[in-house]
Every structure is written in structure tokens, then in C-alpha cells.
Amino acid sequence: MQNTVLVVGAGPAGLAAAAGVAGAGMNVVLVEKEDRLGGTPILSGYAKLVPSGEWAKDAMGRMIKRVEDVRGATIHKGAKVTKLDGEAGRFIATISNGKTVECGAVILATGFTHFDSINKPEWGFGTFEDVVTTTQVEQMVVAGKIACPSDGRVPDRVAILLCVGSRDRQIGREWCSKICCTVSTNLAMEIKELSPQTDVFIYYMDIRTFGLYEDRFYWKSQEEFKTKFVKARIAEVTKSPDGRLLVKGEDTLVKRPIVIPMDLVVHAIGMDPNEDNPEIAKVFGIALEKHGFIERAEHYTNTCGTTRRGIYAVGAALGPETIDDSISQGQAAAMRAVNDLHALVQKIA
Amino acid sequence: MAIHEKTLIDPARLMTTDSLVVDGVDVSGHWNTMILPRYLTDYDDDFYKIIAAMPGGENVHRCWQCGSCTNSCTMYAQNTDFNPRYWIYLTNLGLKDEIIKDKDIIWTCVSCNKCTNICPKDVRPEGVMKALSHWMEEQGITPKASSSIFDEEFLDQVYETGRMEDGRIVYNFFKKTGQSLTQDWLVEVMKRMIKYMPVSFLMHMGLHLVFKPRTKKWERTQQVLREYVREQKAAAHTPQPKGVVHA
Ligand SMILES: Cc1cc2nc3c(=O)[nH]c(=O)nc-3n(C[C@H](O)[C@H](O)[C@H](O)COP(=O)(O)OP(=O)(O)OC[C@H]3O[C@@H](n4cnc5c(N)ncnc54)[C@H](O)[C@@H]3O)c2cc1C
Ligand code: SF4
Ligand code: SF4
Ligand code: SF4
């Protein structure tokens, strides 16, 4: 049991953790609740990933194959952990498919849940067909056509509204979802590539394309793809008599209210805590932080730790995170778990 | 409803029709005063392409509204309504009416280039100010600048005769810009010319003013030149066709 690590969740973070554990010569048991591996980028059908530009299905496909092919990996799909007994070094996990797993450590890579735009009814999602989310536009890009769902026409104008379900005290979401600015500038370029006659407007409060994403995404989409950036937080989306949508708000730089016709309105939805988190906290005996993400231990020497010894957490389970960083954390947690198990073995010997 | 307290409202937004009858009720004058809505109802998506096609305006779409240009601006220090950052934003969104509201100050840019030297995105705001002034002049929104009138007079003469006569250009330029030919300094120049120039030269000039000599076989060249200038102007003012997104 001290040479087995249990990984929960098979997104970018969990797949990296599983590959890391197996690569270090230990056994890994991967439990994924959906019947497919790859996590959100696969389940939600993302198009080209930031920052690599590689199609999600290719990039995630390689990660999945690596885990499927490696010696020492057991995969349970369509399954959840329902009970965890024991302590660090000798846990016994019960899986919903009836199996039990003896393991020395657990890595939680259970990710996030997309913000549901229905919770911001004033922005028209669920009321007007041509109000969609970034995940739907990702899927349009994969399908190779940008179109208004209402009648299939190619939009003359697209408005992307940033921070939908993030940075909003009204709905109890006080965090920045970190990647949606970059994803939105990337989508603006993909829209323009597929439909050169479409003008894309991004309505923003701040543009947070951090680090090297600044020039590669923000600057490029503005300078080469002529995306227009409008400083306004849209107050309301309605429909005009001619069937087009109207975005209403205050343009804070012109200091004037605006009512502008658009064909397609896109919500750049944020990352909520995984809706399973209360259940996960109970099953694994760990704490959640105030927003509902998994609470992390002091990071400097207890890297990837949670509030319980022997249980680690990585990726978007800890808060909004990018794919690249989720992968690095998965790999780091694998190293951490393996190290701790080695230390235990040495102590006992 | 009739509006009584008008002092609170920008006069440009008050609308009154002198004689109006609605459903048989006479609501002429004061009684039908309406306030125009304050909100902006549309963008002109391609307007920035017109400015970008003019010399100096090429990088207008790069602006991210940091305000460094306005902060450094010589004219802003004199008049806080002179705001290059703001006009660049309006250009990019195509809010033309808002730009035109500032037609009387945009052209006062003194081309000190402090803005261009400080802009972190290399927008070259000085060039944008030039391009905007040019556009407004072309559209007849602002009167023609003296320099444009001079250029036109010069070109017209070349088209017509294949050469230019100093005297005639100066004469016509003064006439078109409404400047008196008897200004003290001009009279002084004339006097000195008569005093110091050889008589034959002055006679030559005088004759040319009257007879307008032409370059031989100019017609053909004239056509080619006209066509060339027309093409160049058109090229400079044609926005990139929609769909071309890469520079
Ligand atoms: C529209 C959009 C576009 C994005 N595009 C990019 C991009 O281009 N580049 C980028 O870096 N990031 C992007 N992101 C962020 C990216 O989705 C996350 O960084 C990434 O998915 C996090 O990986 P993860 O493995 O931590 O979590 P997830 O990908 O969410 O994977 C979690 C996995 O755990 C499973 N799971 C959940 N709960 C349980 C449970 N109780 N038991 C068992 N299994 C469970 C889930 O089914 C899932 O398979 C985007 C986000 C959005 C919203
Ligand atoms: S990354 Fe950008 S869009 Fe997303 S929440 Fe943060 S500021 Fe808003
Ligand atoms: S060049 Fe014109 S706009 Fe620029 S700083 Fe000088 S006066 Fe201002
Ligand atoms: S300094 Fe440059 S980027 Fe900043 S507001 Fe002026 S033109 Fe725009």
C-alpha cells in the first residue's frame, strides 16, 4: 500500500500527477467520475489551447495516452471515491464501483465547475439564443463556423463580455478567474480567422493577460486582428425589434451610456469551485477555503498539501488555474507524494 | 411633458419645434420641447481605417488608453479639453459625432511630439492628430487651412501650364485666403524688388502674369500627372478592404 498513490480526477492536473507517480516507479490508481479522461478541456470541447495553440483534443490526447500506456496505472472511469479510511501511509479508499484501493497518499485533481450564466439573468443568457458562453464559442471554433444560434447567420459583430461570474460581490464571487481574459483575446482572433468580416468587441473592466500572455494574446489580438476593447461593464443585454441584441452599459472612457447593436454576445464565464467540493471535503476529511475551493496548506515546505496529512491537491481544485500550471502542479504533487512515501518507508525500516 | 427647467440641460440636447399640432392640440414652441437622449447608439466600425490610411494615423488601433499622451501633452497643459487619448478612443470606436464636437481644438496640436515619444504602444498620437485634422478639413467640417490652399494653388498652376509663376501664386493665394495685397510688409517687399531687381527681370515677370506661358506639348504630361496624383490620393485614403486582417 505504501507504493500506491490514488489520484482523483483525470483532467490536465490529474493526468500529470498520474504520469508522475508511475514514472517514479510507484503504482497509481486514477479515479474519474466521467466516462472519459481529459478533464474540462475534453468534456467541454475546447478548441486551440492557450498558449500552445495546439488543439485540446491533441494535447490532452497525448496526456491521456501516456497514462493509459504506462506500467503500474489502474484507471476507474465513471467512478467516485465514496469513503476514505485510515491515515497517511495507509489509506483505504472505497470506490463507487465496489472496489477498494489501499494507498499511501491521495492527490485530489478534481478541478472546477463552469459558472452558470443563468445566475446573471440581466445578461440575457437563457433568454436570447444569440447570447452564448466562451465554451460554446470554443465548440463553434472546433466545428469551423461562427454563427448566431437563432438563425445560423454569420455575425457582423460579436461582443465578448469579460468577468461573467467572476469579480462580482453581488453573486458571491470575489475572485478573478485568471485565464478568461487570455482565452477571450484568443477567441477573438479565432473568430476573425474564421470570419474576417466580423468585428469583435471586448467589454472589459481590466485586461489581465498576465506574464507572457500580454503580447502574444492581448497585443496581437488588438494590433493584428483589430479586436476593439471597450471599457464598460455591460449592465443589461436586450433585444431590438429587428432581432439584433442590444448591449447596454456605461462607456467609462466616454462617460456616456451606450446601447449598441450586436449579433452575438459571448459571456467569458469564470471558474467556480467544483460543485462536488462539499462532498469531496466530507469524504476526504479536508477543509475548503472561504470561496469553496480546496484549502491549501502552507506552500513553502508543505507543497501541494491540504489540511490533512497525506492528501494533496492540485490544479483548478485549489482556485482558478491555467492548464500549464495545473500540469506543473500535478507533476509537483506526484514528486511530493512519492517523497513522503519514501520517507515513511525509511522511518519504518 | 413640457420642460420648464432648461438651465440644467446642455442646450444642444434641447429640441423645440416652432409649430406642432398633436391630436388636434396645438403644442407649438415651448410646449413641445424634448430632451435628446444622452446615450450612444452605434459605432462606425470602419472609421478608424480612414484615419489609419492617412499619413501618421497608421497605428491608431493600437491604443490601450493609458493616458500617457494626454498627460505629457503641451496643449493639454493649456486646455484640458485637448485630449489626444480621448480622440484616439473615439476614432477606434468610430464615434465621429463626438470627435466633431472638438473640431475647433483638435487642429491646435503643435506637433511637439511629446506624446509620440512617451506612448508605450507606439501609437504615434501626433500623427493621429494630424490625420484627424486632415480628415475634418477634407470633409469640410473645418475650413481649409492656409497651407492646403497654397498647395492647391500651386498644383493647379502646374496642371494648367506645366510650370509655376511666383507672382501669380502669391497673388492668388492672398486673394483666396482673403489677405489684403496692400499690407505694409508686402508693399515694402514690392518696393524693394522694384528698387533692386534688374528691369528686364521685372518686365519678364509682368509679362508672365498677363500671358501665362505654358510648357510645350504639356497636354499629354498634364494628363499623366493628374492621373498619377489622383491615384496616389485614392490609395492613401482607401481603407483596407474588409477581411484583410494582417498587415
Ligand atoms: C472557456 C474556457 C477556456 C479555457 N481555455 C484554456 C486554455 O486555452 N488554456 C489554459 O491554460 N486554460 C484554459 N482554461 C482553464 C482550464 O480549463 C483549466 O486550467 C483546467 O481545466 C484545469 O485542470 P484540472 O485538471 O485542474 O481540472 P479539470 O480540467 O476541471 O479536471 C477535473 C477532472 O476531475 C473530474 N472530477 C471532478 N470531481 C470529481 C469527483 N468528485 N470524483 C472524480 N472525478 C472528479 C472531472 O470530471 C474532470 O475530469 C479554460 C477555461 C475555460 C472556462
Ligand atoms: S481573467 Fe479577466 S475576464 Fe477573467 S475574471 Fe479575471 S479580469 Fe475577468
Ligand atoms: S504633438 Fe500635439 S498631441 Fe502630441 S503632445 Fe504635442 S501638442 Fe500634444
Ligand atoms: S500614450 Fe499611446 S497607448 Fe497611451 S493613451 Fe496615448 S496613444 Fe493610447
Side-chain angles (χ1 to χ4, degrees), chain B residues 69 72-76 82 84 108-116 125-126 129:
Chain B
C69 49
S72 68
C73 176
T74 305
M75 288 311 293
Y76 178 72
F82 190 99
T108 62
C109 162
V110 293
S111 291
C112 64
N113 271 311
K114 284 187 188 171
C115 51
T116 294
E126 186 269 344
M129 294 309 105

Side-chain angles (χ1 to χ4, degrees), chain B residues 63-69 85 88 119-121 123 125:
Chain B
C63 174
W64 63 10
Q65 292 293 298
C66 67
S68 303
C69 49
R85 172 199 60 75
I88 288 170
C119 172
K121 282 286 241 83
V123 172

Side-chain angles (χ1 to χ4, degrees), chain A residues 289-310:
Chain A
E289 51 82 79
K290 72 167 186 174
H291 307 102
F293 294 99
I294 292 176
E295 176 140 54
R296 43 167 103 222
E298 150 303 290
H299 194 65
Y300 304 98
T301 58
N302 189 1
T303 310
C304 300
T306 63
T307 52
R308 184 169 175 194
R309 232 164 71 81

Side-chain angles (χ1 to χ4, degrees), chain B residues 36-100:
Chain B
L36 290 172
R38 269 200 85 230
Y39 53 82
L40 303 169
T41 53
D42 213 350
Y43 303 136
D44 179 343
D45 302 20
D46 288 341
F47 177 65
Y48 81 94
K49 293 183 184 172
I50 296 173
I51 299 304
M54 292 180 153
E58 295 87 353
N59 287 355
V60 65
H61 64 286
R62 290 182 169 194
C63 174
W64 63 10
Q65 292 293 298
C66 67
S68 303
C69 49
T70 299
N71 180 60
S72 68
C73 176
T74 305
M75 288 311 293
Y76 178 72
Q78 304 306 316
N79 173 5
T80 51
D81 288 336
F82 190 99
N83 193 331
R85 172 199 60 75
Y86 179 58
W87 296 322
I88 288 170
Y89 188 73
L90 298 176
T91 301
N92 284 323
L93 290 184
L95 296 170
K96 278 189 296 199
D97 292 349
E98 302 303 305
I99 297 174
I100 292 168

Side-chain angles (χ1 to χ4, degrees), chain A residues 5-6 13 24 35 40 56 99 101 103 112 148 159 161 177 188 199 204 207 227-228 239-240 242 253 277 304 311 345:
Chain A
V5 176
L6 173 67
D35 55 11
T40 310
K99 306 233 165 77
V101 177
C103 55
F112 70 103
C148 298
L161 318 185
S177 289
D199 288 314
Y204 70 98
I207 298 292
T227 305
K228 307 205 185 198
K239 203 170 189 171
S240 78
D242 68 0
L253 292 169
N277 276 359
C304 300
I311 300 187
V345 172

